Amino acid sequence: MDNRSIAASVLKSVGGKANVVANSLCMTRLRLTIADPTLVDRKALASIPGVLGTVGRGANGLEVVFGPTAVRGVFDTFAKLTGLAATYDLPQDKDLASNFNVQVTSGSADTGPDVDAPADPSAARAGTPSGGGAKGAARGVEDETSLLIRMLEESERRIGGAPEAGVSPFPGPEAGDMRKLAHEGAPRLLVINGPNINMLGIREPELYGREDFATLLAVCHETAEEEGFADCLCYQSNHEGDLVDRIQDAYQEFEGIIINPAAYTHTSVALLDALKAVQVPAIEVHLSQVSEREDFRQRSFVRAACFETIMGEGIDGYAHAIRDMAAHLRRR
């Protein structure tokens, strides 16, 4: 599918033009404000090539997650289809920002359905080439849109390339959260990722690696298929309540949970309680060796509800966890 077809499919899946109040671009996410959330067809969204997942944002907010390459063209086309103003929420990536002599600022906090106000184009042209301290300052004269594009291109270069625009990062008829597999009666697997995991390859690559989130999803789906799981649902959110909801939804629906709570590992009793409540076998995974990092990362609340912890293996840790989960379920 080309960008126009993908954008049109997204628009149809969220209830059409009349149901979209506002749209903005936030790094890898098409961020929408929806008039009537009940009209959103999340299953249809998940089946659109290039869509890596969806995340709720407040009462009327919805984020549709794409890879860094695909999101740019899809968003531009989507905004034209809606006829609404296209706004851009630049990411807080100081390392990328320093390459462009720019001070990056974030949009509004995720406290509700409000959409970031349109950026003032003059702000991106106001600073000095040396970066001075003016918001949005960049080399020469360029607006926030072109700055974001250059930042995305730089992130792709660091990752080492990205899929062609509009092409699914992993095979299968459904390029979203779930890939159906032909194993009737086989166990179902849920993979949960917490905050900032969607920024893999961009966020501190020296610590978390240069492979991106799409690669992580491909590893999970491929390994789950090899191990005979009926399907593998991969879910990511930056919001604690969304993660709790997804764990609760696993009750009597999934036989195993692989969870990387990320920063919530060290703070969330709510995730621990949710895992205990559903009583689904769970494995805790961390990309880095958290036991050797800062003191505040030494504590894991969710560990008490997991039968195994895997850390320090990067994305390969997910494959390790899926294989161990399959072996565990075969022994039951």
Side-chain angles (χ1 to χ4, degrees):
M1 296 179 72
D2 58 20
N3 287 334
R4 182 174 181 80
S5 298
I6 295 172
S9 296
V10 172
L11 185 58
K12 180 180 179 181
S13 299
V14 299
K17 178 179 176 179
N19 202 37
V20 180
V21 177
N23 45 220
S24 63
L25 177 64
C26 180
M27 198 59 182
T28 62
R29 301 179 181 220
L30 198 164
R31 180 174 287 178
L32 310 176
T33 298
I34 302 298
D36 183 357
T38 65
L39 298 180
V40 176
D41 187 340
R42 287 180 180 258
K43 184 176 180 180
L45 279 172
S47 71
I48 299 171
V51 173
L52 303 182
T54 60
V55 180
R57 185 172 185 264
N60 294 81
L62 176 69
E63 295 181 346
V64 184
V65 185
F66 289 86
T69 301
V71 69
R72 187 168 66 236
V74 172
F75 173 72
D76 290 342
T77 305
F78 185 89
K80 290 177 182 177
L81 291 175
T82 63
L84 300 170
T87 61
Y88 299 84
D89 181 9
L90 290 175
Q92 287 186 330
D93 189 328
K94 296 179 181 178
D95 191 25
L96 282 179
S98 65
N99 287 345
F100 300 103
N101 297 312
V102 60
Q103 179 178 339
V104 176
T105 59
S106 65
S108 59
D110 291 349
T111 55
D114 295 339
V115 170
D116 307 328
D120 179 3
S122 63
R125 298 191 290 267
T128 62
S130 62
K135 294 179 180 179
R139 294 176 188 155
V141 177
E142 79 183 336
D143 59 21
E144 252 182 345
T145 304
S146 58
L147 174 61
L148 176 61
I149 290 172
R150 294 210 296 132
M151 292 176 75
L152 286 169
E153 289 172 343
E154 171 64 9
S155 71
E156 292 160 11
R157 182 192 66 76
R158 293 184 179 194
I159 295 170
E164 212 176 306
V167 177
S168 169
F170 51 87
E174 295 185 2
D177 291 296
M178 184 184 296
R179 179 182 174 190
K180 294 287 185 181
L181 304 175
H183 299 292
E184 293 296 329
R188 302 185 65 203
L189 180 68
L190 174 63
V191 179
I192 296 177
N193 284 291
N196 299 310
I197 302 299
N198 61 306
M199 298 298 286
L200 277 180
I202 298 171
R203 176 194 176 207
E204 299 179 86
E206 70 285 352
L207 182 61
Y208 296 104
R210 297 187 180 278
E211 295 178 298
D212 62 4
F213 186 55
T215 302
L216 185 155
L217 295 178
V219 166
C220 290
H221 285 282
E222 290 166 5
T223 308
E225 180 175 13
E226 291 169 2
E227 293 297 324
F229 284 95
D231 55 52
C232 176
L233 178 80
C234 295
Y235 179 82
Q236 187 275 332
S237 176
N238 296 322
H239 308 283
E240 184 179 21
D242 290 339
L243 298 173
V244 170
D245 287 342
R246 179 54 71 185
I247 293 171
Q248 291 182 358
D249 289 343
Y251 181 66
Q252 294 186 336
E253 290 293 328
F254 292 89
E255 283 67 47
I257 295 175
I258 308 296
I259 183 168
N260 181 350
Y264 289 133
T265 303
H266 324 293
T267 63
S268 182
V269 176
L271 291 181
L272 168 64
D273 288 346
L275 287 169
K276 284 184 173 181
V278 298
Q279 289 293 296
V280 176
I283 296 178
E284 175 187 18
V285 173
H286 297 285
L287 293 158
S288 66
Q289 188 63 256
V290 291
S291 62
E292 298 176 0
R293 296 180 61 188
E294 304 95 325
D295 289 344
F296 66 84
R297 297 188 195 273
Q298 306 303 310
R299 185 174 191 177
S300 170
F301 283 99
V302 302
R303 195 161 299 165
C306 299
F307 69 85
E308 183 179 358
T309 296
I310 295 171
M311 62 179 76
E313 298 182 16
I315 288 178
D316 289 341
Y318 287 80
H320 182 175
I322 292 171
R323 288 191 292 268
D324 285 2
M325 178 62 72
H328 175 80
L329 295 176
R330 284 193 289 267
R331 291 194 296 267
R332 295 183 69 182

